[in-house]
Amino acid sequence: MDLLNPRALRWKIAGLAAAACCAVAAVIGFLVHDATRDRGLRVGQDRVLTHLATVEKEYARTGKRPTDADLRTPDQLPEPLARDLAEETSQGGRYGVWYDAKSPNHHWMWGAAAVGDQVLVVRNDMMIEERGLQLLNRSIVTSVLAALAVVVPLAALATEPINRRLRHGARTARAIADGDLDARIGRTGRARDEITEMSAAVDEMAGALQRELENERRFTADVAHELRTPLMGLVTAAGLLPEGDEATELVRDRVRALNALIEDLLEISRLDAGAERARVDEVPLGELVADVVRRTGTDTRVAAGAARTVETDPRRVERIVVNLVANAHRHGAAPVEVIVTGARIVVRDHGPGFPAVLLDEGPRRFRTGASERGRGHGLGLTVAQGQAAVLGARLTFANDPAQGAVATLELAPGTV
């Protein structure tokens, strides 16, 4: 399901929105954290300086160490505090401060003032400010997580119109690839974006492809029909030639080949036009295939012991089997075998196998694919594939790992 697919576009957009949200929150959180920390340090410094001024006045009045302050020599001061006091004194100041922070619970603001040869030292606890900073950090993280819990689903839902348009385009493209040349994506909604441009481009491509294929089909049908009249004259003329002559047999053979070619072209034109319909009947598949192979007059082995009775069009099954067997003998090598198992018919030879281009792209008219497969116009397999489509069957081509080409016709039992 697209909803659960982490690679789906909706989740990529939601992830991008989440990343942007986190980046903005991180920048804002850093700025707020830094500003709050600086403010806390300033408050701590002001507090310790006020405290230091108070104990300094008390010491000047009484001459005794105040109870809330220490009286030390300069050598007894922490080094950072002594350095800051020396710098301030050299610049005309009176007080030195130092923030002593050691995680996790040691946070003190120190203050020092020189009184004669000694130094008054005070410390103020900064844990309140530090705890406030920790609470702020925790609040920022909680707020970011809460925002993500809202932003990610909303981003995923916001992409649904885009996903719907893309899925519609994908379904239409698959329909065109499956042969529905009238399928179009069309324009959905009022959006004028890249998806609209892509949809228009795909529709234009489908229209051009449809026109091209229709022109090809019309040309094939017209050529086949136009050739039938002169062919009938050739057949009649060949019948008038003297019997037993070698030239006569050669002419009649070529006339028969031309007649078969024209019949194939007419059949392909009907298949392309979608005018063919299957006439279903219950037939014992094994007996049908054995009889068809026998009538081809070829040396073909038939194994049909595991066949079953299926509902199909026997005339179209016969046409497919005849073409596959003829192709195996013409382009392959003996022995040629036909194996019927259940509703499956397998035709294999022991020749060089199907060419790679046929395995990748399927049969193409007027292309045999490889010189080692012999000569031919390449219509036999095209006709077989078209008839299989009319039956609702599946015709596949493969090469045996040992040697030879394998064509498999799978008839769905009980259906056309």
Side-chain angles (χ1 to χ4, degrees), residues 391-402:
L391 290 174
R394 182 185 179 193
L395 180 60
T396 57
F397 304 96
N399 287 331
D400 190 274

Side-chain angles (χ1 to χ4, degrees), residues 270-280 312-316 386-387 389-392 416:
R270 291 194 299 270
L271 291 171
D272 288 343
E276 296 289 307
R277 295 292 182 271
R279 296 183 178 180
V280 182
T312 188
D313 187 331
R315 185 181 67 83
R316 299 186 188 281
Q387 294 290 3
V390 174
L391 290 174
V416 180

Side-chain angles (χ1 to χ4, degrees), residues 268-327:
I268 287 176
S269 67
R270 291 194 299 270
L271 291 171
D272 288 343
E276 296 289 307
R277 295 292 182 271
R279 296 183 178 180
V280 182
D281 195 6
E282 285 193 0
V283 293
L285 191 59
E287 296 179 10
L288 172 65
V289 172
D291 182 62
V292 169
V293 173
R294 178 182 57 79
R295 285 188 282 114
T296 62
T298 59
D299 183 15
T300 304
R301 302 175 184 173
V302 179
R308 59 179 298 180
T309 299
V310 297
E311 290 186 0
T312 188
D313 187 331
R315 185 181 67 83
R316 299 186 188 281
V317 173
E318 175 181 352
R319 188 79 170 107
I320 296 172
V321 173
V322 168
N323 280 8
L324 294 180
V325 171
N327 183 81

